Amino acid sequence: MHENWLAERGEQFRSGIQIATLDPLPGTARTPSLGQLQDATSVLDAFHIVKLAGDALDEVRRRVQQERLREASTADEAHISVEVAYLLTQQVRDVFHQATPAHGRHLAAHLIQRLPACPIPEIGRLGGTLRKWKDAFLAYFDTGGASNGPTEAINGIIELGRRTARGYRNPTNYQLRMLLIAGGLDASTHTQL
């Protein structure tokens, strides 16, 4: 919301507000707007409370998993390969989160050289795949991070629509349903059924 939006509505408008639902994310509950709604009952939004609880659960799960991984890697020498695989997986992820594309490309090229020689078979296989696709992998850093994410998102929407459109026998109705689900239905695509 625009910072001055509530102030611009005037005192009569503000005094008519009886309930203000809030998002309990850091900084949100302390917005200047709430000071203008002294008579309103503040209510934390249920969706955001549940989301915060889910986030807390995820944090606990990650912490416990990390503790178990540390314990497992020291309990048995065979578990060290899990720790090494985890660390190498994090290095692969990290190439996409560098300050500059050039630095990410440099780290990616380093992994392409190192991973195929890893004595852990699964990681060695990953390294072989990255080496086979070296040019396409490194091109990510030369293209501003080209991704098929938007295409995957559309395919996911279409797949969801396909699953929910059971029983459509008319191809036109099916096509309209796909356009509606994907947000592409407007006056130019609407036809009288």
Side-chain angles (χ1 to χ4, degrees), residues 32-78:
S33 301
L34 286 180
Q36 301 174 43
L37 301 175
Q38 296 170 355
D39 296 331
T41 301
S42 296
V43 179
L44 289 181
D45 181 70
F47 169 83
H48 290 95
I49 293 171
V50 172
K51 183 181 181 320
L52 286 174
D55 291 347
L57 171 63
D58 284 345
E59 289 177 29
V60 170
R61 179 189 48 77
R62 282 191 296 271
R63 179 180 50 77
V64 170
Q65 285 176 336
Q66 294 303 316
E67 289 170 0
R68 285 181 182 171
L69 281 173
R70 279 191 292 278
E71 289 172 11
S73 66
T74 58
D76 185 340
E77 200 172 291

Side-chain angles (χ1 to χ4, degrees), residues 9 13 37 51 61 72 79 100 105 107 110 129 167 180:
R9 303 281 88 68
F13 177 85
L37 301 175
K51 183 181 181 320
R61 179 189 48 77
H79 295 155
T100 66
R105 190 180 208 287
L107 293 176
H110 185 68
T129 299
L180 180 64

Side-chain angles (χ1 to χ4, degrees), residues 133-147:
W133 292 93
K134 175 184 176 181
D135 293 340
F137 180 21
L138 296 178
Y140 173 87
F141 304 98
D142 302 330
T143 59
S147 169

Side-chain angles (χ1 to χ4, degrees), residues 1-11 13-14 31-34 36:
M1 171 179 6
H2 184 270
E3 189 174 313
N4 297 322
W5 184 88
L6 195 57
E8 293 168 359
R9 303 281 88 68
E11 179 58 36
F13 177 85
R14 290 190 305 273
T31 59
S33 301
L34 286 180
Q36 301 174 43

Side-chain angles (χ1 to χ4, degrees), residues 157-177:
I157 290 169
I158 290 171
E159 185 61 26
L160 175 64
R162 186 187 63 75
R163 286 193 303 269
T164 61
R166 295 179 296 263
Y168 277 98
R169 292 193 175 105
N170 181 323
T172 302
N173 290 348
Y174 183 78
Q175 184 180 35
L176 286 171
R177 182 167 178 92

Side-chain angles (χ1 to χ4, degrees), residues 97-114:
H97 301 286
Q98 295 305 308
T100 66
H103 192 231
R105 190 180 208 287
H106 172 76
L107 293 176
H110 185 68
L111 287 174
I112 290 168
Q113 292 302 312
R114 278 189 15 208

Side-chain angles (χ1 to χ4, degrees), residues 82-118:
V82 174
E83 183 178 8
V84 171
Y86 172 80
L87 294 172
L88 291 173
T89 299
Q90 295 310 306
Q91 288 178 20
V92 170
R93 288 173 154 238
D94 287 346
V95 303
F96 298 107
H97 301 286
Q98 295 305 308
T100 66
H103 192 231
R105 190 180 208 287
H106 172 76
L107 293 176
H110 185 68
L111 287 174
I112 290 168
Q113 292 302 312
R114 278 189 15 208
L115 292 183
C118 182

Side-chain angles (χ1 to χ4, degrees), residues 180-193:
L180 180 64
I181 289 170
L185 187 61
D186 60 22
S188 66
T189 57
H190 179 70
T191 59
Q192 186 93 20
L193 297 178

